């Protein structure tokens, strides 16, 4: 352990090494030489060096002595604040340390070890810390607690290592530390996450001894000294990744000084490390409130609070809200490359790709070796269709960090999209070399091998994936492979020479339906797309009753748009909070996917001016048809949402202009063929007549001008998990799930997707028309077969 005396002496030696003109300060040139020398493996650009120096000279302005630059006390402060590691830098410079030089200045370990000697140099440094707004140690007695605690932790570590613990696993982190290192462990431990065995006897003893140190801190001569003690104990525990115990100390510090930013900030970091994102967010909000009311005292910490608050919000799936805080951090500190990277990644996460590219390119400009930023930039470029450039950027990320799982996995997906299956399988193989249990990579490897024509290899890869996870889609994929092999075997036995295409696409007019309950092909195609959106957003998990309750219980102030019309508009991040309440059953990653889909498909249409605000009543009305509950109740809630808008509030009828606008919005959002062609007419609506609920239903159920497709969507909701025994689609060879469409003349069957796309087996390409009957389940098919057999029996002539 480096004691206080030895640390200060090492910093002094480093300072003297670079104070070339011996003026007692490190100017920008001397500081630049220091930064480069202590990071021998990093190749800094001029822009990066300039950014680092700007940050140092701004943060430690009180220690800048005119043109002479950063003083010795200032350099010592940077190390005390965790900006670098004294021992690592000292060793990197090849300096030698003579312990005899500081014999008189070092403090021995504590009451656990021996008596301490506090000498003049340490007292002088304590005085400097006392006037500092940064998070240093102020009181001499606190150093005794720190030294005692270091001994306790070292003892616990040695005992657990002797027993094979603590365990250290690789952190599955998407972002490196950047300037916001507060959320992760210290720089020394950033590559490993330590898991302490908290149920062991040694840990129990450690906690008991830790309690004694906390009691000593509580028994300090003043509240300020007690606060200093608990903060220092918390910092040491945090550095050793004892997050649960560190949290206790920071919470106690919060009680002692509730308006101090630091304990709330540190407590938030602990809670995030413990996986408690909501509680972490609450602490960061308290830190933010304290910082904003504390004047310039906490200005240096504001960007960090914004960044960490954004990260904790992302942990809850609240990406739109996270964007706001990352943007604030980047505004306060334009060279904060990590804030820009996180902003770009979050924008990508909500489908705003162009803005994401801009932020990520700026982050890379500030930090060219930022592998994570390259990875997310490439993903954004791929989403925009710039595939060749995306491949180059993915490759750059992999060159910077060969084991970058996200870059390898996403590049594999890009190659799959381009049909380059062999290259895709190579990428997934590399993912599995780094992360052997990545079942999605294993499954995608199987699919890419299948695309490359390596059926046997694909089957083996699928079986490996099945060992990792017992998901039903893997069983279906294996069944699909067996069907393909069976089909191939039949062809070989039949001595087929020319390989036929697996299907032909028939023009829509040739598809006929039998019976009123059979869905028309174009309607099914549209309904399937709406149902896919409904699945991604999980809106069916939100009952329309909850939507009604939200409107009743949480009113929104009326605002006025540019044309003077009153609206209940709301900012997108606030809308995200409402959706989080409505979809509280969703896991954070699932909710994030839902927000992305809603932002891309609904909010982009409702916020056509790009103001960042949305008409909340119209939004409720638009999502009501896809929420859970009886179809008629959904229509009623949609009507109530339009009544809730300022122009209709207090009435039992809505204006016809609102009704027409709503129908056009529904079709523009949910029916792709509709597009936005009719939306231009909406803004010119001047009809002041009103519409009753019954009249609204007539408009709504109209198949051409309303949302009559809803009945087909509801049918899909009730059937899309129905399996039809061993029935497989005659085109795609996958097991049929949902409805089965049987061609009544030839007897072949199609799944929902193949029927909607007009695909038929090539063996039946000569038919003039195809007549289909729809079966929702195999029970329906059996009943129909029995009825048909019964009718045929009655037609037989009676024997005489």
């Amino acid at each position: 352990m480096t004691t206080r005396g030895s640390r200060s002496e090492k910093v002094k030696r480093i300072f003297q090494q670079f104070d070339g003109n011996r003026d007692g300060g490190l100017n920008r040139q001397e500081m630049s030489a220091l930064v480069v020398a202590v990071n021998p493996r990093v190749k800094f650009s001029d822009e990066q060096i300039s950014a680092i120096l700007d940050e140092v000279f701004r943060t430690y302005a009180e220690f800048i002595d005119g043109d002479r630059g950063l003083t010795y006390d200032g350099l010592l402060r940077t190390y005390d604040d965790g900006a670098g590691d004294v021992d690592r830098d000292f060793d990197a410079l090849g300096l030698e340390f003579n312990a005899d030089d500081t014999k008189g200045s070092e403090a021995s370990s504590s009451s656990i070890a021996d008596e301490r000697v506090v000498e003049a140099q340490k007292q002088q440094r304590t005085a400097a810390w006392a006037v500092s707004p940064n998070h240093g140690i102020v009181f001499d007695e606190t150093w005794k607690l720190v030294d005692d605690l270091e001994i306790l932790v070292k003892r616990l570590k040695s005992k657990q290592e002797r027993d094979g613990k603590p365990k250290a696993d690789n952190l599955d982190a998407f972002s490196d530390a950047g300037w916001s290192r507060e959320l992760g462990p210290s720089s020394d431990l950033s590559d490993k996450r330590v898991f302490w065995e908290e149920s062991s006897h040694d840990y129990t003893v450690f906690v008991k001894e830790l309690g004694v140190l906390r009691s000593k801190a509580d028994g300090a001569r003043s509240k300020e000294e007690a606060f200093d003690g608990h903060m220092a104990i918390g910092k040491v525990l945090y550095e050793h990744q004892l997050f649960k115990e560190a949290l206790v100390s920071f919470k106690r510090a919060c009680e002692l000084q509730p308006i101090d930013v630091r304990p709330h900030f540190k407590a938030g970091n602990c809670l995030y490390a413990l996986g408690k994102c909501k509680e972490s967010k609450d602490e960061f909000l308290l830190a933010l409130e304290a910082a904003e009311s504390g004047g310039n005292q906490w200005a240096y910490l504001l960007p960090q609070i914004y960044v960490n608050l954004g990260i904790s919000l992302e942990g809850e799936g609240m990406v739109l809200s996270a964007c706001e805080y990352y943007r604030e951090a980047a505004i306060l500190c334009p060279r904060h490359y990590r804030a820009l990277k996180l902003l770009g990644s979050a924008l990508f996460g909500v489908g705003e790709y162009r803005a994401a590219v801009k932020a990520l390119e700026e982050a890379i400009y500030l930090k060219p070796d930022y592998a994570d930023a390259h990875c997310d930039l490439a993903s954004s470029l791929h989403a925009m269709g710039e595939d060749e450039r995306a491949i180059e950027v993915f490759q750059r990320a992999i060159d910077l960090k060969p084991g970058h799982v996200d870059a390898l996995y996403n590049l594999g997906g890009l190659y799959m999209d381009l049909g380059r299956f062999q290259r895709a399988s190579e990428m997934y193989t590399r993912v599995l070399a780094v992360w052997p249990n990545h079942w999605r990579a294993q499954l995608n490897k199987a699919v890419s091998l299948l695309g490359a024509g390596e059926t046997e290899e694909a089957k083996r890869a699928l079986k490996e994936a099945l060992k990792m996870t017992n998901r039903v889609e893997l069983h279906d994929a294996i069944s699909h492979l067996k069907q393909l092999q069976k089909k191939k075997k039949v062809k070989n036995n039949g001595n087929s020479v020319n390989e036929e295409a697996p299907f032909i696409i028939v023009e829509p007019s040739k598809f006929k339906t039998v019976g009123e309950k059979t869905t028309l092909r174009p309607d099914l195609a549209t309904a399937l797309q709406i149902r896919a959106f409904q699945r991604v957003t999980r809106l069916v998990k939100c009952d329309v009753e909850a939507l009604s309750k939200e409107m009743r219980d949480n009113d929104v102030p009326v605002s006025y748009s540019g044309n003077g019309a009153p609206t209940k508009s709301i900012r997108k991040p606030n809308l995200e909070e409402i959706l989080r309440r409505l979809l509280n059953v969703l896991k954070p990653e699932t909710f994030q996917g839902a927000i992305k889909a809603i932002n891309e498909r609904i909010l982009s249409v409702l916020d056509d001016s790009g103001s960042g605000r949305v008409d909340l009543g119209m939004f409720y009305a638009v999502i009501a048809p896809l929420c859970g509950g009886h179809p008629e109740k959904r229509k009623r809630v949609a009507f109530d949402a339009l009544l809730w808008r300022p122009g209709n509030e207090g009435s039992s009828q809505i204006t016809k202009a609102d009704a027409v606008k709503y129908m056009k919005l529904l079709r523009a959002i949910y029916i792709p063929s509709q597009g936005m062609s009719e939306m231009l007419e909406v803004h010119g609506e001047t009809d002041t007549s009103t519409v009753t609920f019954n009249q609204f239903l007539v408009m709504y159920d109209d198949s051409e001008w309303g949302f009559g497709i809803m009945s087909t969507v509801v049918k899909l909701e009730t059937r899309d998990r129905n399996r039809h025994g061993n029935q497989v689609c005659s085109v795609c060879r996958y097991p049929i799930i949902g409805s089965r469409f049987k061609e009544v003349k030839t007897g072949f069957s199609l799944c929902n997707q193949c029927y909607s796309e007009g695909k038929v087996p090539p063996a039946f390409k000569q038919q003039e028309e195809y007549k289909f009957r729809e079966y929702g389940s195999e029970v329906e098919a059996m009943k129909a077969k029995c009825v048909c057999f019964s009718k045929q029996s009655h037609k037989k002539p009676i024997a005489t």
Side-chain angles (χ1 to χ4, degrees):
M1 183 185 75
T2 305
T3 60
R4 181 64 175 166
S6 63
R7 284 184 82 255
S8 59
E9 184 61 29
K10 285 185 176 181
V11 175
K12 190 173 185 179
R13 293 286 302 280
I14 294 171
F15 182 87
Q16 292 170 347
Q17 175 87 359
F18 290 93
D19 184 14
N21 55 14
R22 297 292 183 268
D23 63 352
L26 300 179
N27 57 33
R28 289 183 71 91
Q29 186 177 354
E30 290 166 341
M31 274 297 297
S32 173
L34 190 157
V35 171
V36 171
V38 298
N39 294 280
R41 296 184 180 180
V42 181
K43 293 181 180 179
F44 291 103
S45 65
D46 292 341
E47 291 84 359
Q48 286 176 296
I49 290 290
S50 179
I52 292 169
L53 296 184
D54 288 345
E55 181 68 10
V56 170
F57 277 67
R58 181 184 66 80
T59 305
Y60 300 98
E62 62 184 296
F63 296 101
I64 304 301
D65 187 4
D67 294 336
R68 291 194 299 171
L70 188 70
T71 62
Y72 160 69
D73 283 345
L75 183 62
L76 185 55
R77 171 61 50 72
T78 67
Y79 282 111
D80 287 335
D81 284 354
D85 185 293
V86 178
D87 296 329
R88 187 199 65 189
D89 291 355
F90 196 81
D91 293 340
L93 294 171
L95 300 174
E96 293 184 2
F97 180 68
N98 185 356
D100 293 337
D101 294 341
T102 58
K103 189 180 294 182
S105 65
E106 290 191 19
S108 61
S109 6
S110 69
S111 55
I112 293 178
D114 335 288
E115 293 296 319
R116 299 176 195 290
V117 178
V118 180
E119 58 109 273
Q121 183 185 25
K122 184 171 169 184
Q123 290 176 338
Q124 290 169 3
R125 281 295 304 135
T126 301
W129 280 83
V131 298
S132 167
N134 296 324
H135 24 271
I137 293 175
V138 178
F139 296 90
D140 283 339
E141 291 301 313
T142 302
W143 283 111
K144 298 176 184 178
L145 296 175
V146 168
D147 290 342
D148 286 349
L149 182 54
E150 288 283 5
I151 291 171
L152 292 180
V153 173
K154 187 175 180 181
R155 185 188 299 162
L156 174 65
K157 190 174 183 181
S158 63
K159 286 181 179 179
Q160 293 212 343
E161 282 177 347
R162 188 178 61 226
D163 298 333
K165 294 161 182 175
K167 299 175 182 176
D169 293 334
N170 287 328
L171 277 169
D172 181 19
F174 289 96
S175 300
D176 62 11
W179 291 349
S180 239
R181 289 184 300 189
E182 297 294 347
L183 263 191
S186 70
S187 55
D188 297 333
L189 301 172
S190 59
D191 294 331
K192 293 287 184 182
R193 172 70 185 267
V194 177
F195 294 94
W196 298 89
E197 182 51 59
E198 297 179 5
S199 60
S200 69
H201 173 70
D202 296 328
Y203 193 88
T204 304
V205 172
F206 167 76
V207 172
K208 187 176 180 181
E209 292 173 326
L210 176 59
V212 174
L213 294 183
R214 287 191 175 123
S215 297
K216 287 183 179 179
D218 281 328
R221 289 167 293 186
S222 66
K223 185 187 288 188
E224 290 74 18
E225 188 172 335
F227 172 83
D228 193 48
H230 284 292
M231 283 295 292
I233 290 171
K235 284 182 66 177
V236 172
L237 292 167
Y238 186 88
E239 286 295 310
H240 290 287
Q241 302 191 45
L242 289 154
F243 301 120
K244 189 183 292 185
E245 303 306 327
L247 179 61
V248 174
S249 294
F250 292 135
K251 285 286 192 182
R252 176 64 182 135
C254 289
E255 293 171 4
L256 290 166
Q257 294 193 15
I259 61 171
D260 195 301
V261 174
R262 294 166 295 174
H264 291 297
F265 183 62
K266 296 288 188 182
N269 296 339
C270 287
L271 287 162
Y272 181 84
L274 292 168
K276 298 179 179 181
C277 295
K278 186 180 184 307
E279 294 91 331
S280 171
K281 176 194 70 177
D282 294 340
E283 285 294 337
F284 287 134
L285 286 171
L286 289 172
L288 183 60
E289 183 182 346
E292 289 176 342
S293 62
N296 293 328
Q297 181 184 5
W298 307 112
Y300 76 97
L301 199 52
L302 266 176
Q304 303 295 71
I305 297 172
Y306 283 133
V307 166
N308 292 3
L309 180 52
I311 292 172
S312 63
L313 282 163
E314 275 202 74
E316 288 188 272
M318 306 280 284
V319 196
L320 285 171
S321 302
C323 286
E324 295 286 294
Y325 291 109
Y326 295 145
R327 198 174 277 114
E328 287 292 333
I331 291 169
L332 280 177
C333 189
R335 290 185 172 274
H336 199 320
Y337 57 79
R338 188 169 185 243
L340 288 163
K341 184 268 172 190
L342 290 167
L343 174 60
S345 302
L347 289 167
F348 169 74
V350 294
E352 297 182 12
Y353 304 120
R354 292 193 182 279
V357 166
K358 185 177 179 182
L360 291 164
E361 286 178 338
E362 185 67 23
I364 290 169
Y365 174 76
L366 294 171
K367 184 174 172 61
D369 62 345
Y370 206 162
D372 291 335
H374 280 90
C375 175
D376 288 351
L377 174 60
S379 297
S380 302
L381 291 168
H382 175 42
M384 292 168 61
E386 297 183 30
D387 292 336
E388 291 306 317
R389 188 182 166 204
I391 291 172
E392 292 177 11
V393 180
F394 270 133
Q395 198 56 59
R396 174 63 178 153
I398 294 165
D399 291 342
L400 289 167
K401 190 175 177 182
H404 201 298
V405 171
D406 287 342
L408 291 166
Y409 183 84
N410 293 342
L411 181 54
L414 173 50
Y415 281 136
M416 286 261 282
D417 291 345
L418 295 175
R420 296 164 66 176
F421 298 111
Q422 197 60 50
R423 289 288 290 146
S425 68
E426 290 170 13
M427 292 301 111
Y428 293 126
T429 300
R430 289 180 66 179
V431 171
L432 291 163
V434 180
W435 191 343
N437 292 324
H438 197 309
W439 72 266
R440 293 186 187 278
Q442 186 68 52
L443 175 59
N444 285 343
K445 179 182 176 181
V447 175
S448 57
L449 287 168
L450 187 61
E454 300 180 26
T455 311
E456 288 302 318
E457 286 293 321
K459 191 192 294 185
R460 278 194 286 272
L462 265 180
K463 287 180 179 177
E464 285 298 317
L466 195 58
K467 290 177 185 176
M468 297 176 190
T469 180
N470 197 29
R471 297 173 73 94
V472 68
E473 54 259 48
L474 295 185
H475 291 279
D476 288 345
I478 291 173
S479 174
H480 175 234
L481 269 181
K482 288 178 180 177
Q483 289 291 335
L484 288 179
Q485 286 184 312
K486 191 186 297 182
K487 193 175 179 183
K488 193 173 181 181
K489 201 170 187 180
V490 170
K491 280 185 181 178
N492 290 338
N493 291 340
N495 298 319
S496 175
V497 179
N498 296 321
E499 184 75 21
E500 277 190 299
F503 61 84
I504 60 169
I505 296 179
V506 177
E507 62 181 70
S509 62
K510 288 189 176 184
F511 266 36
K512 310 293 183 182
T513 60
V514 177
E516 295 179 357
K517 293 183 179 179
T518 303
T519 308
L520 294 171
R521 171 182 155 187
D523 287 352
L524 182 61
T526 301
L528 281 172
Q529 292 190 34
I530 297 172
R531 177 65 179 135
F533 175 75
Q534 189 185 33
R535 278 204 202 95
V536 171
T537 58
R538 304 298 204 279
L539 284 171
V540 77
K541 297 279 187 183
C542 167
D543 194 277
V544 285
E545 290 291 349
L547 208 57
S548 291
K549 187 175 186 301
E550 185 69 36
M551 284 188 285
R552 287 194 307 270
D553 297 349
N554 298 295
D555 205 358
V556 174
V558 175
S559 57
Y560 290 85
S561 59
N563 61 11
T567 59
K568 290 183 179 180
S569 66
I570 190 171
R571 293 173 64 253
K572 287 184 182 181
N574 300 119
L575 176 60
E576 184 181 47
E577 292 176 14
I578 293 173
L579 285 169
R580 195 68 184 108
R581 288 199 296 270
L582 294 172
L583 297 170
N584 57 12
V585 296
L586 300 187
K587 293 180 179 178
E589 59 273 17
T590 309
F591 180 73
Q592 184 174 332
I595 287 296
K596 179 180 180 181
I598 289 170
N599 188 51
E600 286 182 308
R601 193 156 185 174
I602 299 178
L603 303 187
S604 60
V605 176
L606 294 181
D607 181 27
D608 56 350
S609 65
S611 66
R613 300 186 72 87
V614 175
D615 181 332
L616 190 56
M618 192 60 78
F619 175 78
Y620 286 149
V622 165
I623 67 169
L626 301 194
C627 289
H630 192 278
E632 296 307 313
K633 181 63 179 174
R634 301 184 202 182
K635 297 173 190 177
R636 178 72 236 189
V637 171
F639 184 78
D640 290 344
L642 296 175
L643 280 176
W644 188 73
R645 300 176 74 231
N648 305 310
E649 207 166 11
S651 173
S652 61
Q653 299 181 9
I654 62 174
T655 62
K656 189 170 183 181
D658 278 357
V660 170
K661 179 180 179 179
Y662 172 61
M663 298 306 163
K664 289 182 178 180
L665 277 171
L666 276 182
R667 295 180 69 82
I669 290 169
Y670 295 128
I671 304 177
S673 60
Q674 184 73 20
M676 293 297 291
S677 58
E678 292 187 6
M679 287 309 298
L680 297 175
E681 304 170 23
V682 170
H683 303 293
E685 294 287 350
T686 57
D687 193 342
T688 57
S689 60
T690 57
V691 172
T692 64
F693 178 58
N694 288 332
Q695 291 170 327
F696 172 81
L697 288 180
V698 173
M699 296 174 69
Y700 189 98
D701 292 332
D702 189 289
S703 58
E704 290 188 23
W705 303 106
F707 201 59
I709 193 71
M710 180 177 165
S711 58
T712 308
V713 175
V714 172
K715 189 193 290 188
L716 289 175
E717 290 174 15
T718 58
R719 291 184 179 179
D720 62 3
R721 290 186 181 273
N722 292 354
R723 302 178 74 89
H724 294 257
N726 295 323
Q727 295 284 346
V728 297
C729 176
S730 300
V731 170
C732 68
R733 312 305 296 174
Y734 268 96
I736 294 178
I737 303 172
S739 292
R740 174 159 74 101
F741 293 86
K742 183 177 181 180
E743 210 283 320
V744 295
K745 183 178 178 182
T746 56
F748 70 83
S749 295
L750 299 179
C751 64
N752 276 332
Q753 197 63 43
C754 290
Y755 174 79
S756 71
E757 293 171 0
K759 295 176 179 178
V760 298
F764 306 104
K765 61 185 177 183
Q766 301 299 331
Q767 288 183 216
E768 287 297 319
E769 64 178 19
Y770 303 84
K771 293 184 177 180
F772 290 95
R773 186 185 295 276
E774 180 179 358
Y775 297 112
S777 66
E778 204 53 25
V779 174
E780 281 185 28
M782 290 299 293
K783 285 181 180 177
K785 191 173 183 180
C786 291
V787 170
C788 183
F789 180 76
S790 175
K791 287 180 179 178
Q792 287 177 355
S793 299
H794 288 307
K795 287 179 182 179
K796 289 182 181 179
I798 300 172
T800 56

